[in-house]
Amino acid sequence: MNSNIENLQSTTTLANGVKMPWLGLGVYKVEDGQEVVDSVKYAIKAGYKSIDTAKIYENEEGVGQAIKESGVSREELFVTSKVWNADQGYDTTLQAFETSLNKLGLEYLSLYLIHWPVEGKYKDTWKALEKLYKDGKIRAIGVSNFQVHHLEDLIAEAEVKPMVNQIEFHPLLTQTEVREYCKKQGIQVEAWSPLAQGELLDNEVLTQIAEKHGKSTAQVILRWDLQNEVVTIPKSTKEHRIIQNADVFDFELNAEEVEKINALNQNHRVGPDPDNFDF
């Protein structure tokens, strides 16, 4: 277990030395306007330092407004966005980045990701990310939903290796192959949909472990993420849930419990298959 995961401000150090919080707030499907503003402000108030959005979530403006209103300095926060599939390609990615940055009202992004490995495009998109990175507009660059073969293909020609790969990861989809490859390459794995969109919350194995620790099943899953050294970004719009999701630093799963959770894997996706998507 990585002993540096002690609280909500604890970070992993990316390959280039940039520090990224282990736990953050995701805002997928959170509506722009008051809902996302409140959600982000609750999180920052609760001590979260990391916020993960994307162009396709259509709520970057609200995220930016919440950051402004939170009164916390930009340097303290870790803000991620992603380039959408329709914008992939070199010039279009540069434009999409500027648009996202303007909507967020920020001068730089902490992390910018290629949202999906769009065939025939992601290498040009990556070149644009490398340029933005070299220009100091992004502190770290990475990918999302990349399988091992996508990563190999990208790294073969890349000047800068992706620092992060954000993938669907939860007890029903443990992605061992991708995680082992990323570990070898020094790429930090990050989980989206860590709670499998609610499919796991009544799971018997998880319920038993949760009861033993006096925690919720959601907290057990998030703790399992961290003990697997996977950065995690649970989404919620409710203040009590945002606080509860972060309350995972005062207990530890033992090796046997971690194994039991690992064994729930069914290679079951709640989201699209990175090798077979058409959007």
Side-chain angles (χ1 to χ4, degrees), residues 129-138 141 159-160:
L129 264 61
E130 289 178 327
K131 177 180 167 36
L132 292 162
Y133 174 65
K134 286 175 189 159
D135 290 349
K137 296 202 165 181
I138 314 172
I141 51 177
E159 288 177 57
V160 181

Side-chain angles (χ1 to χ4, degrees), residues 10-256:
S10 297
T11 55
T12 175
T13 304
L14 302 179
N16 65 342
V18 165
K19 293 188 179 337
M20 176 180 190
W22 281 107
L23 198 134
L25 178 80
V27 295
Y28 173 58
K29 286 193 173 160
V30 180
E31 218 171 299
D32 200 21
Q34 210 48 52
E35 186 174 68
V36 79
V37 171
D38 287 345
S39 180
V40 172
K41 281 167 83 172
Y42 295 148
I44 292 174
K45 187 177 146 202
Y48 284 71
K49 299 295 183 198
S50 172
I51 313 292
D52 176 280
T53 184
K55 184 220 169 145
I56 197 69
Y57 302 169
E58 297 184 342
N59 56 20
E60 290 171 316
E61 279 163 279
V63 169
Q65 187 189 329
I67 289 170
K68 244 193 232 70
E69 289 177 11
S70 75
V72 172
S73 77
R74 170 68 187 96
E75 291 66 48
E76 273 187 59
L77 299 173
F78 191 96
V79 184
T80 302
S81 192
K82 313 177 193 86
V83 57
W84 184 241
N85 303 353
D87 294 323
Q88 285 202 40
Y90 186 79
D91 292 326
T92 38
T93 294
L94 294 177
Q95 284 162 359
F97 172 78
E98 289 303 331
T99 303
S100 283
L101 204 59
N102 289 337
K103 283 189 170 172
L104 285 158
L106 301 174
E107 288 180 6
Y108 67 92
L109 276 184
S110 308
L111 178 65
Y112 197 46
L113 305 175
I114 299 181
H115 211 146
W116 288 88
V118 176
E119 230 175 303
K121 290 217 168 154
Y122 62 72
K123 287 188 185 178
D124 286 337
T125 306
W126 188 251
K127 285 197 171 75
L129 264 61
E130 289 178 327
K131 177 180 167 36
L132 292 162
Y133 174 65
K134 286 175 189 159
D135 290 349
K137 296 202 165 181
I138 314 172
R139 305 271 327 272
I141 51 177
V143 295
S144 184
N145 302 302
F146 275 48
Q147 304 283 55
V148 173
H149 69 95
H150 298 123
L151 289 165
E152 286 174 340
D153 185 43
L154 187 68
I155 289 169
E157 290 171 39
E159 288 177 57
V160 181
K161 229 187 247 188
M163 291 145 205
V164 173
N165 185 16
Q166 185 183 120
I167 55 176
E168 182 181 339
F169 173 79
H170 45 72
L172 299 176
L173 182 71
T174 53
Q175 301 249 37
T176 313
E177 192 201 359
V178 179
R179 286 193 296 133
E180 281 172 1
Y181 178 81
C182 286
K183 201 173 176 105
K184 275 209 263 316
Q185 294 289 341
I187 298 168
Q188 175 63 52
V189 174
E190 178 176 20
W192 61 259
S193 231
L195 306 176
Q197 293 171 4
E199 280 187 33
L200 280 160
L201 299 180
D202 307 324
N203 178 283
E204 205 178 320
V205 173
L206 294 170
T207 308
Q208 283 175 349
I209 294 173
E211 279 168 6
K212 202 184 100 183
H213 289 281
K215 289 286 178 182
S216 69
T217 47
Q219 287 168 324
V220 165
I221 294 169
L222 297 171
R223 181 70 206 179
W224 171 79
D225 284 1
L226 298 176
Q227 290 187 213
N228 273 305
E229 302 193 346
V230 172
V231 167
T232 186
I233 43 168
K235 164 230 159 182
S236 181
T237 54
K238 299 180 178 70
E239 184 165 25
H240 73 276
R241 184 84 67 217
I242 288 169
I243 291 167
Q244 194 181 40
N245 284 343
D247 187 16
V248 292
F249 299 98
D250 58 352
F251 76 107
E252 195 159 339
L253 303 168
N254 64 34
E256 186 194 353

